[in-house]
Amino acid sequence: MGQSASIWCRDGGPLVNDMAVHVSGGYSCQSDKPGFLDHSHLEPECDVEHLLADVPRELADVLRETRQWGALRCRPWLSTAALRGLLRSLQRCDLLETTERYRDLEDFETCTFALPHAVRWEDLDCDHVVSAGQVFNLEEAESGKIQQLRRTGMQALRQGKIGVVFLVGGANLRFGDGGKPSGCRQKSLKLNSGKSIIQLCCERIRRIAFLCCRHDAASAQRGRPHVDEESGDQDRKTARPSIPVYVMTSRLTHRCVLEHFEANNYFGLHSRDVFFFEQPMSPVLDEFGRLLPQSLGGEFAHAPGGPGQVLKALATSLLLEQMRDRGIDSLHIVGTDNVLARVCDPVFIGFCRDLEIECACKIIDRPDAREEIELFTVRQGTVSTNYADVEEAAFGMGSQEAPDKVREARNQTGDLVFCGSANSFLLTLPFAEEVVGRPLRMHKVLRVIPYLDFHVSARDPQAEELAEARPALPSPLGAMVPL
């Protein structure tokens, strides 16, 4: 997956390169699939009462309400102690919240998806107010404007106002191997140097810090000491700025990522400027909303919560407070599966600071409609208020969730109109602290996960049709993983 540094959007709005094909209409979407949490036909009523026998009343009520009694089908093989461990595992899964969040996936409201509005750079000089879903094309900006944005971004980096967050918590479930994170794989890029994507990103941070240092030294040689425009203080000596790096891992990847940094001496970064934190794990359900057991001892399949959990994980680890104490006011969040991601891009940083944008992202063109990349659209939902009939919001939609009309929509030249996320975001620290507690909508993503199937006596014809229609996979069924 590549990245185009010349296309940005605010709050996740996409950009269509061919501005002439912008349409005011949208692409409707309405789910007509049956609810996948309704699998009562898989368990006769007598079997349900038998499975829930001797289960604590409170847990039994939860299992009935969430229809997760199938997790107890392994009871005949369990000892008394093992059964108690299974019940404790079910209690830790927080079934009420888990099933409620997955039910929301099926409550797909009727809405339309429109292309965002592209703003010309000339309009910014006319007191234009930037709003969510608007996009800017850097290729249309004048060279003088680009240089101004670069200087603004470099100044913020010199002042230590920018922190970098790497997303390395994924378990590589989309590859089906569950091996090392893609950012830690040294042979995946097939470079002669054997460098990994994380190493390339860290070396870019070092290079940006060196350029900031060289700029200060050049100013001093010309007899013009660098002056901080905010404080008015002159730099007495040339020092390399500190750019802290926060690495989000998960229970599945933490050890591997930590060893990758330690074995390579943090790739030239100061160890005091590199921090690791784990994102939460969430239970995984299959297509019918059932938990996936992975052992007779009560272990159920879990997966990392996805990139959307980064702010919650930062707040839980108290790193947001540490950032505030260090004087950081903006975060550049970058996924480590994109080898072309420009970490600490000074033009992108200057763009956000110059326009006082709280949250922005980079997007890229999609050459293939089947590419598994998140689409960015403007969602138009129906509301009934005294001020508007339609509510518009920038919306990121997984490629597997997107209707065919949206995923395969093309313009007159044959290019896909909806662009995808480059997994590169910049947001201010006050904005992150404001939205950290907001509920997140889950995404339904099919992944290959091994599990134990105890439904040997009641075969579901729909599951058999799915198995026949799919190509051969290393595990029985795909599973839905939260993002």
Side-chain angles (χ1 to χ4, degrees), residues 307-468:
Q309 298 288 339
V310 59
L311 297 182
K312 181 179 179 180
L314 283 171
T316 304
S317 59
L318 303 180
L319 288 177
L320 287 180
E321 298 180 3
Q322 184 196 96
M323 295 175 185
R324 194 186 315 110
D325 295 339
R326 291 183 62 130
I328 297 174
D329 61 16
S330 298
L331 297 177
H332 190 191
I333 303 176
V334 182
T336 56
D337 55 353
N338 186 356
V339 68
L340 299 181
R342 295 188 176 182
V343 186
C344 294
D345 183 2
V347 181
F348 184 41
I349 296 173
F351 166 79
C352 297
R353 299 181 76 86
D354 186 61
L355 299 181
E356 298 181 353
I357 295 177
E358 294 180 330
C359 180
C361 75
K362 290 185 178 182
I363 60 176
I364 59 176
D365 295 323
R366 296 167 48 237
D368 188 356
R370 297 169 297 178
E371 183 179 4
E372 189 172 331
I373 184 174
E374 188 176 63
L375 311 182
F376 276 101
T377 68
V378 174
R379 183 183 61 184
Q380 298 174 333
T382 304
V383 295
S384 56
T385 64
N386 296 328
Y387 304 99
D389 297 328
V390 177
E391 178 185 24
E392 292 189 352
F395 181 66
M397 180 168 47
S399 59
Q400 297 180 357
E401 295 179 299
D404 294 339
K405 294 181 179 179
V406 176
R407 185 173 57 253
E408 301 177 2
R410 298 180 182 271
N411 55 22
Q412 296 177 353
T413 62
D415 298 326
L416 296 170
V417 296
F418 288 100
C419 298
S421 168
N423 215 2
S424 178
F425 310 89
L426 194 137
L427 65 161
T428 62
L429 198 60
F431 178 81
E433 295 173 337
E434 177 185 351
V435 303
V436 66
R438 293 183 184 178
L440 298 176
R441 179 185 177 273
M442 304 296 290
H443 289 273
K444 182 168 62 175
V445 181
L446 292 177
R447 293 289 184 256
V448 178
I449 294 181
Y451 69 99
L452 301 178
D453 188 3
F454 297 105
H455 295 79
V456 293
S457 60
R459 302 306 302 176
D460 182 22
Q462 185 177 2
E464 294 178 357
E465 293 177 3
L466 279 174
E468 294 177 358

Side-chain angles (χ1 to χ4, degrees), residues 1-3 189 191 196-197 200-201 335-342:
M1 181 174 65
Q3 169 178 327
L189 300 180
L191 300 178
S196 64
I197 299 180
L200 296 176
C201 292
T336 56
D337 55 353
N338 186 356
V339 68
L340 299 181
R342 295 188 176 182

Side-chain angles (χ1 to χ4, degrees), residues 29-38 102-109 287-288 398-404 407 441 444-446 462 466 470 480:
C29 170
Q30 185 175 9
S31 176
D32 56 357
K33 298 178 182 179
F36 66 91
L37 284 172
D38 184 14
Y102 278 90
R103 278 196 186 100
D104 293 341
L105 295 175
E106 295 304 315
D107 296 336
F108 215 98
E109 58 182 343
E287 286 112 339
F288 307 103
S399 59
Q400 297 180 357
E401 295 179 299
D404 294 339
R407 185 173 57 253
R441 179 185 177 273
K444 182 168 62 175
V445 181
L446 292 177
Q462 185 177 2
L466 279 174
R470 292 184 175 198
M480 281 164 286

Side-chain angles (χ1 to χ4, degrees), residues 219-335:
S219 300
Q221 290 179 0
R222 291 193 298 265
R224 295 180 298 171
H226 174 68
V227 179
D228 191 324
E229 296 183 4
E230 294 185 359
S231 62
D233 297 335
Q234 293 184 357
D235 295 339
R236 296 183 179 273
K237 60 180 180 179
T238 300
R240 182 166 297 188
S242 173
I243 303 179
V245 177
Y246 303 89
V247 185
M248 186 179 76
T249 64
S250 66
R251 189 181 66 191
L252 303 178
T253 65
H254 183 81
R255 181 176 178 179
C256 176
V257 175
L258 183 60
E259 291 178 350
H260 188 53
F261 273 86
E262 292 178 345
N264 294 275
N265 196 23
Y266 292 87
F267 306 106
L269 301 176
H270 291 295
S271 58
R272 64 176 181 271
D273 290 335
V274 181
F275 307 90
F276 300 89
F277 64 101
E278 293 189 30
Q279 67 179 124
M281 303 283 287
S282 302
V284 175
L285 304 183
D286 67 1
E287 286 112 339
F288 307 103
R290 300 176 300 207
L291 291 171
L292 301 180
Q294 291 186 321
S295 71
L296 292 177
E299 292 293 334
F300 295 96
H302 282 66
Q309 298 288 339
V310 59
L311 297 182
K312 181 179 179 180
L314 283 171
T316 304
S317 59
L318 303 180
L319 288 177
L320 287 180
E321 298 180 3
Q322 184 196 96
M323 295 175 185
R324 194 186 315 110
D325 295 339
R326 291 183 62 130
I328 297 174
D329 61 16
S330 298
L331 297 177
H332 190 191
I333 303 176
V334 182

Side-chain angles (χ1 to χ4, degrees), residues 110-159:
T110 302
C111 56
T112 59
F113 299 96
L115 302 178
H117 176 63
V119 181
R120 299 181 305 173
W121 290 91
E122 294 79 5
D123 296 339
L124 297 178
D125 300 330
C126 303
D127 297 330
H128 175 79
V129 179
V130 180
S131 59
Q134 295 180 348
V135 294
F136 299 82
N137 192 337
L138 185 63
E139 296 178 354
E140 300 176 357
E142 299 180 354
S143 59
K145 182 64 174 180
I146 297 176
Q147 294 299 326
Q148 174 194 344
L149 298 179
R150 181 177 285 108
R151 288 193 297 268
T152 303
M154 294 294 286
Q155 178 183 347
L157 290 166
R158 283 194 300 269
Q159 296 171 352

